[in-house]
Amino acid sequence: MAKKPDLRRFPGFYGITLLCLFLLYAPLIIVAIYSFNDSQSITIWGGASLRWYEDVFWGLEADKFKQAAVNSLTIAVTAAIAATIIATMAATAMLRAGSFRGKGASFALINLPLMVPEIVTAVATLIFFSAIGFTTGIMTILVAHIVFCIPFAYLPIAARMEGIEDVYEQAAQDLYATRWEAFRLVLLPLMMPGIISGFLLAFIISLDDFIITNFVKGAGVETLPTAIFGAVKQGIKPNIMAISTLLLLVSILFVTLSYFAGRMGQNRQ
Amino acid sequence: MAGGLGQGTGKSARTYAGLGVPLILPAWLIIGIFLVVPILIMLVYSFLTKEFRGGVIWEPTLAAYDQFFFDRGLFGDEPPKIEWTYILIFWRSIWQAGLATVLCLLIGFPTAWFIATRPPNSRTIWLFLITVPYWVNLLIRTISMKFLIRDNGPLNQWLLDAGLISEPIHVINTATAVQLGLFYSYLPFMVLPIYAAVERYNFALSEAAADLYASRWVTLTQVIIPSVKPGIIAGCILVFVPSLGAFLAPDLLGGAKNFMIGSLIEEQFKGAAGNWPFGAAAAMILLTMVLIVLIFYARSQARGAR
Amino acid sequence: MPDGNGTIAVDIDNVTKRYGDFTALRDVSLAIADNEFFTLLGPSGCGKTTLLRCIAGFEDISAGAIRLYGDPIAELPPNRRPVNTVFQQYALFPHMDITRNVMFGLLRLGKSESEARKRAGEVLELVQLTQFATRLPAQLSGGQQQRVALARALAPNPKVLLLDEPLSALDLKLRQAVRLELQQLQHETGITFIFVTHDQEEALTMSDRIAVISDGRVQQVGTARAIYEEPNNKFVADFIGETNLIDVAVAAIDGATATCTLPGGAQFTCPAASGAHSGQGHLSVRPERVSLTDPAQAPLSGTVSRLIYLGTDMHVDVTLADGETVTARVQNSADTTIPEKGQTVGLNFEAGAARLLVD
């Protein structure tokens, strides 16, 4: 008897998937490997060492990168917290408040930062701060980051809220909870996986941003991406590869965290 | 939870009825003041006169748009000819973004399909592997690509060492390098929405097609692709739109000769050119193009919903 | 009304509920007595759940009034109404253990942690779930979740308990067991129950009184027996159990008695629903009250068109001369003679078995 054909399989798709993963990972893995290169030249392999990691933390440019990292983290944490709070409120309005004036436009507005190309946002924000005479610096970066983090925080939060039937809040109200108590004691805990995902996504998006930051950062203020970009303009040096590898690890850590946040949600429901 | 989430009531939830406006207000204020208003000011700036060290003089003029489309000679007194420089930069950007979208689709669709048809446990692992690069800093990824394909980068070194080539393949600072960078940057954006669509695909449709004598190829083109089209379109938008306004890939991999819109605009503000109204005008033109694409997208989605 | 003291627990006074153009409830008036097990019965979409949600406070009413022991409550938010709900899918808070779920309402009412815990223990004992007190809802079976939902709603000692199809998610066997438990619980607690269901068997077996609702209107209110035996109109007769509706010409109505002409010309006298009028009308006769006899001596006769064997009994479909079909239910016993298909038979029923309906 002939083997039953598996309709889900297409010849070559497996190979293309492997190729896809190879293309995505090869450059990252090679940079990670070369970050342990002992040689002064970035392409000639001179044996394994941690000298470039030492250089990152204690070398000539260490202070510059440390300051940039502190700036990046401060901005990312603050922007992600602000965006998560705003997005949670917005999701509650969009999904739990029935109809209200401007609801139709609100959805488009929340997603606007996703639709406008980054370079356009960057230009517009720079012109805006210049027009109102506001000196660019950490504050301007922060405000710009909050704006484009909102839709990224909103998406997982709204998706989660959509999955929670309003009957839980009704049950809470039926059991004498005020609307605030129903939110705090029932909706918010059930929302937590979505809120954590939203926060992590907003955080990584803020940490990732180069274009907008580059426009609104002002003189002397650097975040990690702008500092790295500035350094790369003079050529790729081994310490850049060490920093890149460290950032790669941070990213992997975040995907893992976000993955577990999602799992937490599945177990609850 | 067991027996928990049944069918919805069908009515929109309204536990917080009456609080819609105050709850949405912060989002409106932040995005309104710091994105919508800036875009409007940018529109105004594109009609102002340039100041030489950046900034503007408050005198209305069409000079920025005129400079974009027409060449009036060095002193501006010759009869206008079409200025091809900027139109070509835009055209190159559209071409590069379109090509990147097609390449991402050719690799992304089979990948998304393959992952979505894995058994649930291994599917999670495949999906995790695709998601990681999506979360890795774009700048880092572009730098990695630059490092890999340099004339004396590891790729050329190995090929030389292996005797496969006699001199380095020159890729860096070419249009191919930009293409490679765009493809590499936005590939995960193609895979994820198509994956989501394939995951919802009802495989009984494939069985029905096979039952009705369709070959594998006919099933793919006549049944599967139309069914997952919303995911494919979403993926194409997510690759095309950021590719169009990309800055890092053309700047780091393309060099001076492979300018795209993003670099052109950047140069007006950060670089030597220092022409704010012109940069604002170019940004407005880019924004208009993106909005046209998105309107087509919204209309195709609305048709699909019907 | 079981108490007979006449206190009205929930007074629904001309309530209308509209959603845009759609009217879900039209001028509904019901007086539900204290300590009553009252059921709202009707097909899906009839408005019964909407009415329950209006009482609970999840829906605003468009017109009318709702009073709880005399106090108007229609304007109060759900958390200010001393009624509790058992939701259709239970809506147990998935992130709280069973005890926390049951304590929720008590804590909101300002009870201390220890008081609330004590009361939760008592209620969980009442529903025999003490050993599951620290489990999460997802770790319980459907039947156990249902009992937690009941315990949670009973814990604050509400004046009225609202139950929204609470048995619909359970399998048949469990449903039958829980019916008895619910009835018992109602007797023990003395709380007024308002129970919503589309399942007539549930309604008939548990309720003190039933309101049959269709198309946003109350069709009939009465005890199970009254609803089954003395249906008011075609909808009620048809919805509750099975019935034959026979077209008749009503010659005269004298109080509660009607004289009508059956198809075939025989005169027949039977009880009439209040509001029935002369002219064309419908008689309702339950299949089990129809007997097969000699055609010569019966008021109706026809040809056997179909026989359906059901084990304990048999359905005999008889087609009358005018094309209508009347079903008779014949007991499967040793001395029953089963007619053959195509045979001409007479149909008989005593006067009290038939009832002239309001159209």
Side-chain angles (χ1 to χ4, degrees):
Chain A
M1 210 174 98
K3 194 168 165 263
K4 190 174 137 279
D6 183 354
L7 295 168
R8 294 165 189 237
R9 283 190 57 186
F10 283 89
F13 277 23
Y14 182 44
I16 293 174
T17 306
L18 292 180
L19 176 71
C20 177
L21 286 176
F22 175 77
L23 289 173
L24 287 174
Y25 280 92
L28 298 173
I29 291 170
I30 288 167
V31 163
I33 293 171
Y34 274 82
S35 71
F36 295 101
N37 189 357
D38 192 41
S39 165
Q40 184 73 39
S41 151
I42 58 165
T43 37
I44 297 157
W45 184 255
S49 97
L50 287 172
R51 63 180 282 201
W52 299 115
Y53 289 89
E54 265 171 52
D55 186 73
V56 168
F57 288 101
W58 296 282
L60 278 176
E61 295 182 305
D63 285 342
K64 187 178 97 185
F65 284 123
K66 272 181 196 158
Q67 185 55 48
V70 168
N71 288 345
S72 267
L73 282 176
T74 313
I75 291 164
V77 169
T78 319
I81 290 174
T84 306
I85 293 171
I86 293 168
T88 305
M89 292 172 71
T92 311
M94 296 299 286
L95 298 169
R96 287 297 202 265
S99 58
F100 55 88
R101 270 177 72 108
K103 186 173 179 178
S106 297
F107 186 73
L109 190 84
I110 290 166
N111 285 296
L112 190 66
L114 279 183
M115 296 188 270
V116 177
E118 265 190 278
I119 188 87
V120 175
T121 306
V123 167
T125 314
L126 172 66
I127 290 178
F128 173 74
F129 285 124
S130 149
I132 63 170
F134 198 93
T135 318
T136 50
I138 291 266
M139 272 313 289
T140 52
I141 303 176
L142 184 60
V143 167
H145 279 219
I146 292 173
V147 171
F148 69 72
C149 283
I150 289 173
F152 286 98
Y154 180 82
L155 291 176
I157 290 173
R160 175 78 188 172
M161 197 180 276
E162 244 175 341
I164 301 170
E165 270 195 282
D166 62 338
V167 72
Y168 294 112
E169 295 126 74
Q170 288 177 359
Q173 286 184 282
D174 186 61
L175 294 162
Y176 315 107
T178 61
R179 295 204 287 184
W180 169 240
E181 285 172 321
F183 182 81
R184 188 168 56 87
L185 299 170
V186 175
L187 188 55
L188 200 60
L190 294 178
M191 290 287 303
M192 223 14 115
I195 290 176
I196 292 171
S197 293
F199 173 82
L200 292 176
L201 195 55
F203 179 88
I204 207 88
I205 290 292
S206 165
L207 204 61
D208 197 43
D209 179 73
F210 167 74
I211 298 177
I212 295 170
T213 312
N214 189 37
F215 268 70
V216 297
K217 70 187 170 67
V221 182
E222 300 285 353
T223 64
L224 220 34
T226 62
I228 293 172
F229 184 82
V232 169
K233 274 287 165 183
Q234 283 122 47
I236 304 177
K237 276 177 280 176
N239 61 341
I240 295 299
M241 291 198 274
I243 293 180
S244 298
T245 309
L246 290 172
L247 275 176
L248 183 66
L249 287 177
V250 170
S251 301
I252 293 171
L253 178 75
F254 268 82
V255 200
T256 315
L257 281 179
S258 138
Y259 172 76
F260 281 114
R263 283 292 285 263
M264 188 171 102
Q266 279 166 14
N267 291 342
R268 281 264 169 90
Q269 280 294 298
Chain B
M1 54 178 279
L5 297 174
Q7 68 282 15
T9 52
K11 291 182 287 269
S12 77
R14 46 176 193 77
T15 316
Y16 299 98
L19 295 178
V21 172
L23 285 170
I24 202 84
L25 200 62
W28 269 93
L29 287 178
I30 295 276
I31 298 175
I33 295 174
F34 297 108
L35 186 60
V36 178
V37 171
I39 288 173
L40 295 176
I41 295 180
M42 180 177 81
L43 178 64
V44 172
Y45 265 46
S46 72
F47 291 104
L48 295 181
T49 308
K50 72 170 173 179
E51 170 115 65
F52 280 96
R53 284 160 288 118
V56 285
I57 302 164
W58 281 83
E59 268 171 40
T61 168
L62 285 171
Y65 292 94
D66 188 81
Q67 182 189 347
F68 191 93
F69 291 107
F70 300 109
D71 176 9
R72 295 177 193 270
L74 196 56
F75 303 101
D77 50 1
E78 290 171 29
K81 287 179 297 189
I82 298 286
E83 167 67 270
W84 288 106
T85 316
Y86 307 116
I87 296 173
L88 275 177
I89 289 175
F90 268 64
W91 171 244
R92 187 186 300 138
S93 302
I94 295 171
W95 165 250
Q96 290 275 30
L99 193 60
T101 307
V102 171
L103 287 177
C104 285
L105 183 60
L106 288 179
I107 298 279
F109 180 82
T111 304
W113 178 272
F114 178 80
I115 294 174
T117 53
R118 292 302 89 200
N121 280 333
S122 62
R123 194 189 305 170
T124 317
I125 297 166
W126 285 103
L127 204 58
F128 184 81
L129 287 173
I130 289 289
T131 323
V132 169
Y134 172 82
W135 289 66
V136 173
N137 197 308
L138 184 61
L139 176 62
I140 302 288
R141 291 203 284 143
T142 312
I143 292 172
S144 304
M145 185 53 89
K146 184 182 172 84
F147 174 69
L148 184 67
I149 63 174
R150 280 153 30 119
D151 287 352
N152 56 351
L155 202 59
N156 273 316
Q157 290 289 336
W158 291 332
L159 290 173
L160 284 170
D161 291 350
L164 290 169
I165 51 172
S166 53
E167 56 186 84
I169 306 172
H170 179 70
V171 181
I172 195 80
N173 296 342
T174 66
T176 313
V178 177
Q179 187 50 238
L180 202 60
L182 292 177
F183 165 76
Y184 177 60
S185 299
Y186 302 116
L187 181 56
F189 288 31
M190 181 65 84
V191 177
L192 295 174
I194 298 180
Y195 165 81
V198 175
E199 206 190 20
R200 285 195 302 271
Y201 173 71
N202 179 2
F203 283 99
L205 294 179
S206 286
E207 288 171 7
D211 184 53
L212 295 164
Y213 319 109
S215 69
R216 215 167 264 271
W217 176 249
V218 171
T219 307
L220 180 66
T221 55
Q222 305 276 310
V223 179
I224 294 170
I225 290 180
S227 300
V228 300
K229 211 165 103 192
I232 293 177
I233 294 176
C236 288
I237 298 275
L238 285 178
V239 174
F240 184 79
V241 168
S243 296
L244 198 58
F247 170 72
L248 286 174
D251 191 81
L252 288 174
L253 302 170
K257 274 185 287 180
N258 293 286
F259 246 46
M260 281 175 62
I261 306 174
S263 326
L264 175 70
I265 296 172
E266 201 252 9
E267 199 182 43
Q268 309 308 319
F269 295 91
K270 308 296 284 184
N275 187 340
W276 283 31
F278 182 69
M284 278 314 299
I285 295 169
L286 171 62
L287 182 61
T288 310
M289 293 193 328
V290 167
L291 287 181
I292 290 170
V293 171
L294 290 176
I295 286 168
F296 272 106
Y297 172 64
R299 283 177 57 182
S300 80
Q301 292 292 90
R303 251 203 318 276
R306 239 182 281 138
Chain C
M1 297 177 208
D3 271 23
N5 66 8
T7 310
I8 291 172
V10 181
D11 182 15
I12 295 157
D13 186 0
N14 280 302
V15 167
T16 294
K17 170 70 188 171
R18 280 183 291 267
Y19 298 102
D21 291 342
F22 175 71
T23 306
L25 296 172
R26 302 161 200 262
D27 274 334
V28 171
S29 290
L30 287 171
I32 297 161
D34 189 30
N35 199 15
E36 188 173 26
F37 196 124
F38 192 91
T39 297
L40 305 174
L41 173 66
S44 64
C46 72
K48 58 189 192 301
T49 296
T50 305
L51 181 57
L52 197 78
R53 292 171 63 83
C54 288
I55 301 171
F58 304 129
E59 307 283 349
D60 298 325
I61 56 177
S62 312
I66 301 176
R67 281 179 286 270
L68 190 72
Y69 292 94
D71 301 326
I73 57 165
E75 299 297 315
L76 296 178
N79 54 314
R80 305 267 302 277
R81 301 186 187 198
V83 299
N84 289 139
T85 308
V86 177
F87 290 85
Q88 188 170 7
Q89 306 284 351
Y90 320 135
L92 299 178
F93 304 128
H95 58 298
M96 298 180 192
D97 69 17
I98 301 311
T99 306
R100 279 277 146 199
N101 262 284
V102 177
M103 286 166 70
F104 190 92
L106 299 162
L107 292 174
R108 303 285 83 68
L109 284 174
K111 296 264 185 301
S112 73
E113 179 84 14
S114 61
E115 271 178 291
R117 194 169 283 281
K118 186 162 159 281
R119 170 74 181 147
E122 287 166 18
V123 188
L124 285 176
E125 202 175 317
L126 190 68
V127 296
Q128 296 155 27
L129 282 176
T130 311
Q131 72 268 40
F132 299 112
T134 56
R135 298 246 186 119
L136 286 174
Q139 297 168 310
L140 301 187
S141 71
Q144 290 162 340
Q145 290 187 21
Q146 198 269 340
R147 299 220 296 267
V148 177
L150 203 57
R152 185 177 71 173
L154 284 172
N157 219 345
K159 290 187 171 167
V160 174
L161 188 72
L162 309 174
L163 302 101
D164 184 8
E165 308 221 14
L167 310 185
S168 62
L170 304 179
D171 60 41
L172 183 66
K173 258 220 160 109
L174 199 55
R175 221 176 326 173
Q176 285 167 342
V178 175
R179 269 184 216 159
L180 289 174
E181 279 178 41
L182 266 183
Q183 223 176 353
Q184 186 132 28
L185 208 57
Q186 198 260 331
H187 283 304
E188 277 169 30
T189 56
I191 293 172
T192 307
F193 277 30
I194 304 180
F195 186 91
V196 161
T197 186
H198 65 272
D199 181 330
Q200 44 164 310
E201 202 178 313
E202 242 168 63
L204 294 178
T205 50
M206 290 194 289
S207 322
D208 292 320
R209 281 195 307 154
I210 298 168
V212 181
I213 298 179
S214 159
D215 198 20
R217 285 197 181 87
V218 175
Q219 304 289 338
Q220 188 169 356
V221 184
T223 61
R225 199 183 172 103
I227 297 240
Y228 186 80
E229 309 227 333
E230 295 156 20
N232 248 342
N233 58 30
K234 255 170 87 174
F235 177 84
V236 176
D238 209 25
F239 186 72
I240 313 286
E242 284 173 81
T243 198
N244 292 299
L245 293 172
I246 304 169
D247 284 334
V248 293
V250 184
I253 294 185
D254 177 19
T257 309
T259 309
C260 37
T261 314
L262 295 174
Q267 289 286 313
F268 191 78
T269 307
C270 65
S274 65
H277 51 82
S278 51
Q280 285 299 314
H282 286 94
L283 278 191
S284 160
V285 190
R286 300 286 179 191
E288 67 269 21
R289 305 293 283 269
V290 179
S291 53
L292 301 178
T293 56
D294 179 1
Q297 292 164 12
L300 277 175
S301 64
T303 326
V304 176
S305 53
R306 196 164 62 152
L307 293 163
I308 304 166
Y309 179 72
L310 294 168
T312 56
D313 48 25
M314 185 141 200
H315 275 188
V316 182
D317 284 359
V318 177
T319 305
L320 306 182
D322 64 351
E324 269 190 272
T325 300
V326 174
T327 303
R329 194 161 174 167
V330 182
Q331 277 248 314
N332 187 2
S333 65
D335 49 321
T336 313
T337 44
I338 308 287
E340 277 171 34
K341 202 172 163 184
Q343 196 183 328
T344 303
V345 293
L347 298 167
N348 203 0
F349 37 85
E350 73 252 47
R355 187 172 166 82
L356 180 68
L357 302 177
V358 180
D359 261 348

